């Protein structure tokens, strides 16, 4: 790994990360559904990262980051309303490292409970980006904790990218080659990592990102050629409300073919289809890839498309109201 | 298969059925969850029949029944409010056979839609057992259809039992031997089939049935030694409201060690745990096995317990209200 975290990660970092984390994370299954193939008009394979440790791909990056801590780091910290906080808490507990997670008071109960269950200390703060950063800064000053950011970090990007190496291998095992690898993009840790992995391993595969139309900073950044760093996200996909990171943008513009957006209705419909057809309880953010296939059908028709299902963590009462809303 | 359907099925019938249906149904995965092991105080393996064709183990029996039709049967029919109707419709469509399913007007929409989607003809009738049987009899008289009963049928019992052969093989592949195989019991097709399979293949494994306390005819039959043939079932586990069949009782009393009951709260809690911990969207009936482990914990403590997750079909709005009810 680059010793200076300001460096950009490379494809080689992803391959190293795969070695580093192999014994700590699950090699999640790649599943299909004939019914969804019919609905989508394409051959779809779903990479089940909701079955990953802590219920999200974030376990990959967190594990890789903690395996590459600077000398002397004895406490780790982050701010997160979501799966990164749980992943870091889990990965730290595996190593016996103390962990502090700054969480906004608005974070879903399920995610707070997850962080707690892994034994991390939680600091509650206000919901804005500034309040979170201020609270985290106070933690660092008080404890000397080493901060592991959720996405704008080379170790994190490399860790998340390992999912793509598995997808390619699992596709080969099943006797096919993907035409497209489709992943949601929020802060861009996953998509940048996948871009790096595929650039080295399978450059013919189109890597495409998908994001809610109500949080389309990544598309605007990529299509406009200028990194958009602010937005007012409006989406039920709580994992995708973050703004694309600096390193993430730099990597994505070089390695990702395009980013498409999807509607809120499309996300709910895709989530409903995944729940009822595959019986997999994925969170809204995880449904964005399938939503992209359904809303941009001409683009994906009859193609072999691998889609990352990113996570499965949500409050049951929230699931409940989304389900009720999804009813005809 | 026995040529006379009044005969009882044998262990050999289950082995034959496994050969017969191997190319038509999925070999579903056997999964585990460290968190559920902790909660349950036992080593739990879950056989994922909610990932089976049509989303339920019923695809096994239906496929085996249609592979063993009497000469001249050109139309098949059944009455079902649940997964058996969908399974028969699917299996018939695979063979290009016309299929008629008599369904009570109270059947869940999702199950009606499933039957329709496989191209079967649906006849709606009143909800009582008598109304269903009368409507089915009329269909038979009019069309000469061959009736495939949902559970009290040797071909069905043998087909459902194939799940146990896979469980034993998959446990071996993972390097352990189950102490207990735990399955829900409604009409008893699954449990009888498992009993037959294990009697021949692994007689040291305790086969135990689980049913809702509000539909406990199987426990009363087994413990009292007299086949209880009527009950007023009160349970959210809609797949387990049926009364134990005649052949099923005969087989179960010889091959099943015990039947335990679980509370309605226990079923909802187990379902909630399965949803949140394994991310598998199973229906209430499928949660009864885990509920048994939780409510009879002394009995299962530190044992290796394989549990059949029987299906994953339910209306989303119904799931929604159960989820809301499960909230603290």
């Amino acid at each position: 790994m680059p010793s200076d975290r300001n460096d950009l990660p490379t494809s080689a970092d992803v391959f190293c990360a795969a070695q580093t984390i192999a014994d700590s994370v699950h090699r999640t299954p790649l599943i299909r559904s004939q019914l969804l193939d019919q609905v989508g008009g394409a051959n779809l394979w779903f990479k089940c990262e909701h079955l990953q440790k802590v219920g999200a791909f974030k376990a990959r990056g967190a594990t890789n980051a903690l395996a590459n801590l600077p000398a002397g780091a004895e406490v780790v910290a982050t701010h997160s309303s979501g799966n990164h906080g749980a992943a870091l808490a889990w990965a730290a507990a595996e190593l016996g490292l103390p962990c502090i997670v700054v969480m906004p008071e608005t974070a879903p109960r399920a995610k707070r409970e997850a962080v707690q269950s892994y034994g991390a200390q939680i600091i509650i703060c206000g919901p804005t980006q500034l309040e979170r950063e201020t609270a985290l800064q106070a933690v660092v000053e008080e404890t000397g904790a080493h901060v592991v950011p959720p996405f704008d970090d080379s170790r994190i990007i490399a860790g998340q990218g390992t999912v793509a190496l598995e997808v390619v291998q699992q596709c080969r095992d099943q006797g096919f080659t993907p035409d497209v690898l489709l992943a949601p993009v929020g802060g861009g840790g996953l998509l940048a990592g996948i871009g790096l992995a595929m650039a080295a391993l399978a450059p013919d595969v189109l890597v495409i990102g998908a994001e809610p139309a109500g949080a389309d900073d990544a598309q605007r950044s990529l299509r406009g050629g200028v990194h958009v760093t602010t937005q007012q996200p409006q989406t039920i996909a709580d994992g995708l409300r973050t703004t694309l990171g600096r390193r993430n943008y730099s990597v994505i513009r070089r390695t990702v073919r395009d980013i498409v957006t999807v509607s809120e209705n499309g996300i709910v419909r895709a989530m409903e289809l995944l729940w009822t057809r595959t019986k997999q309880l994925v969170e809204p953010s995880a449904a964005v890839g399938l939503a992209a296939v359904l809303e941009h059908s001409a683009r994906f028709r009859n193609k072999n498309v691998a889609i990352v299902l990113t996570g499965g963590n949500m409050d049951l009462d929230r699931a409940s109201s989304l389900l009720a809303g999804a009813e005809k």
Side-chain angles (χ1 to χ4, degrees), chain A residues 120-323:
Chain A
Q121 185 186 345
I122 297 180
I123 308 280
I124 298 289
C125 70
T128 69
Q129 188 74 8
L130 183 64
E131 286 168 304
R132 294 187 196 199
E133 284 169 5
T134 306
L136 180 59
Q137 192 50 43
V139 165
V140 169
E141 281 164 18
E142 192 184 327
T143 65
H146 171 82
V147 173
V148 179
F151 47 83
D152 194 353
D153 180 290
S154 293
R155 306 163 298 182
I156 294 288
I157 292 170
Q160 320 299 32
T162 60
V163 74
L165 305 182
E166 288 179 20
V167 168
V168 169
Q169 184 62 55
Q170 289 171 311
C171 286
R172 279 195 192 137
D173 292 348
Q174 295 186 26
F176 82 102
T177 310
D179 300 308
V180 180
L181 206 166
L182 192 50
V185 53
L190 176 65
L191 187 61
I194 290 174
L196 286 174
M198 300 303 273
L201 188 68
D204 293 341
V205 177
L206 297 185
V207 177
I208 296 182
E211 68 183 348
D216 66 346
D217 61 304
Q219 185 187 64
R220 285 186 288 134
S221 296
L222 193 67
R223 294 195 175 172
V226 176
H227 184 197
V228 175
T229 55
T230 58
Q231 65 173 346
Q232 265 82 42
Q234 293 290 337
T235 175
I236 59 164
D238 55 294
L240 306 178
R241 290 182 191 138
T242 44
T243 306
L244 196 60
R246 184 182 64 75
R247 291 175 189 75
N248 312 78
Y249 172 64
S250 294
V251 171
I252 285 171
R253 61 191 298 226
R254 287 186 291 112
T255 60
V256 170
R257 184 66 61 100
D258 197 10
I259 291 174
V260 298
T261 62
V262 298
S263 71
E264 294 297 294
N265 277 345
I267 295 171
V268 173
R269 180 170 173 238
M271 190 171 73
E272 185 189 358
L273 282 169
L274 286 164
W275 289 8
T276 56
R277 302 309 178 187
T278 71
K279 316 298 179 193
Q280 302 302 298
L281 201 70
V282 297
E283 58 186 76
S285 303
V288 165
L290 176 60
V293 170
L294 299 176
E295 293 197 339
H296 302 269
S297 54
R299 183 158 189 166
F300 298 105
R301 190 170 318 286
N302 295 328
K303 293 226 167 31
N304 292 336
V305 184
I307 298 173
V308 184
L309 300 179
T310 45
N313 297 319
M314 60 194 309
D315 285 348
L316 287 188
D317 45 7
R318 179 131 179 288
S320 169
S321 61
L322 287 173
L323 277 166

Side-chain angles (χ1 to χ4, degrees), chain A residues 46-70:
Chain A
F46 298 96
K47 177 66 170 168
C48 294
E49 287 293 297
H50 62 294
L51 305 179
Q52 187 49 270
K53 292 278 184 184
V54 313
F57 72 90
K58 299 276 188 180
R60 297 174 182 270
T63 301
N64 191 51
L66 294 195
N68 289 283
L69 285 180

Side-chain angles (χ1 to χ4, degrees), chain A residues 1 7 15 49 87 105 207 240:
Chain A
M1 294 297 307
D7 288 348
F15 290 93
E49 287 293 297
E105 59 206 16
V207 177
L240 306 178

